[in-house]
Amino acid sequence: MPYRVCFVCTGNICRSPMAESVFRARVAEAGLDGLVEVDSAGTGGWHEGDGADPRTVSVLEVNGYEGGHAARQFHADWFTRLDLVIALDAGHLRDLRRLAPTEADAAKVRLLRSYDPAVASASGAGLDVPDPYYGGPDGFEECLEMVEAATPGLLAAVREQVEGRAA
């Protein structure tokens, strides 16, 4: 059974699809295709069925990532099939942990930037990936930089879990 990771932001059109795309590319590069499944969702359903924000798609494509995506809302019953739920900011972390049916499910929720060694010792807002939606292209580029900085640490943690299952 594959190890399942879901990235979650507010509307699932900016940060979480960006993180999903970057992490999926790194999983493939690491030879973990088939062993790790990656997707994303939003805490709300406002954009359900919509594609990613065009600015997200543009930043991803310029940097060599795929941008295909359809937004969807996270549901509590997904916890049973997920191994790791990655929140993009402290508000998402709080909402997801509150939504979790059990303490074990709540423990599956982590902040993305907690995997970035440059900021992992920080707390609170220091671990948030700021929402670029209401800003310009620079915010989307900054978002991608933060996602890319945290991805190696997240990949190492996931690889450890996947290899632990095989042992």
Side-chain angles (χ1 to χ4, degrees), residues 2-8 23 27 36-41 72 74 78-88 93 96-97 104-112 114-115 150-151 153-162 165:
Y3 188 88
R4 293 182 174 99
V5 180
C6 184
F7 294 92
V8 181
F23 194 64
V27 163
V36 178
E37 288 182 4
V38 183
D39 62 13
S40 65
R72 60 201 187 128
F74 190 91
W78 293 7
F79 277 105
T80 59
R81 66 177 176 81
L82 294 170
D83 297 290
L84 189 58
V85 180
I86 301 295
L88 277 289
L93 179 79
L96 288 162
R97 286 187 173 162
D105 290 327
K108 295 177 183 180
V109 185
R110 299 282 312 270
L111 280 167
L112 175 65
S114 69
Y115 293 96
T151 298
L154 174 58
L155 183 62
V158 168
R159 181 190 303 273
E160 184 178 305
Q161 292 298 311
V162 168
R165 284 183 174 186

Side-chain angles (χ1 to χ4, degrees), residues 16-58:
S16 59
M18 189 177 289
E20 174 188 1
S21 182
V22 170
F23 194 64
R24 182 176 287 121
R26 296 300 177 261
V27 163
E29 289 170 3
L32 297 174
D33 265 352
L35 298 174
V36 178
E37 288 182 4
V38 183
D39 62 13
S40 65
T43 57
W46 310 278
H47 300 287
E48 211 157 10
D50 294 345
D53 185 291
R55 298 167 294 180
T56 297
V57 174
S58 176

Side-chain angles (χ1 to χ4, degrees), residues 130-151:
D131 188 351
Y133 185 76
Y134 293 104
D138 290 351
F140 287 82
E141 291 167 10
E142 177 186 25
C143 180
L144 179 62
E145 289 171 11
M146 291 178 174
V147 167
E148 288 179 326
T151 298

